[in-house]
Amino acid sequence: MTTATPPINNTQLSVNVTTKSQEQSLYQSSGAIVAAIVVGVIIIFTVVLLILKTYNRHMRVKRELEPKPSKTAMAPTVGQGSHSLCQPPTVTFIPVDIHMHNR
C-alpha cells in the first residue's frame, strides 16, 4: 500500500519566489535612489557654499581696493550755517568689565 503524495504546486512556489525577489529589488533600488538624492543635495550645497565664499572674497577685495572718499571733498562750506554738521555725533563706550571705584 503506497500512499499518494499530494502534487506540489510548482507554479505557486515560483510566483512567491519571484514576488519576493521583485520586492527585495524594489527595496534595494529605492534605497539606492534615496542615497543618490542625498549625495546630490550635499554636492549642490557644497558647490553653492564655494560659489558664495568666492563671491564674498571677491567683493571684499574689491571694497578694500576702492579709493576712499577724502574728507576735504565732503567738508561743508563755511558760512552756510551748517556748523552742527561739521562734527559727527560721538558715542562713548564704557566696557562692562571695567569697574569704577568710589573713594
Side-chain angles (χ1 to χ4, degrees):
M1 277 189 62
T2 60
T3 58
T5 59
I8 298 174
N9 192 355
N10 288 336
T11 57
Q12 184 180 6
L13 182 62
S14 65
V15 169
N16 286 342
V17 170
T18 56
T19 307
K20 294 282 186 184
S21 65
Q22 285 177 353
E23 288 178 6
Q24 188 177 11
S25 65
L26 283 175
Y27 283 127
Q28 288 175 349
S29 64
S30 65
I33 291 171
V34 169
I37 290 172
V38 168
V39 168
V41 168
I42 290 172
I43 290 172
I44 291 171
F45 184 69
T46 304
V47 168
V48 168
L49 282 178
L50 289 174
I51 290 172
L52 287 174
K53 186 176 179 182
T54 306
Y55 176 76
N56 188 18
R57 184 178 299 150
H58 175 70
M59 291 305 292
R60 186 181 64 203
V61 168
K62 185 177 177 183
R63 250 182 290 140
E64 289 175 355
L65 292 178
E66 281 182 351
K68 305 264 187 220
S70 63
K71 291 185 179 181
T72 56
M74 296 181 69
T77 58
V78 180
Q80 292 183 351
S82 59
H83 182 67
S84 63
L85 294 177
C86 289
Q87 293 181 344
T90 58
V91 177
T92 305
F93 176 72
I94 300 173
V96 178
D97 57 341
I98 298 176
H99 302 287
M100 302 180 112
H101 298 287
N102 293 335
R103 293 187 181 186

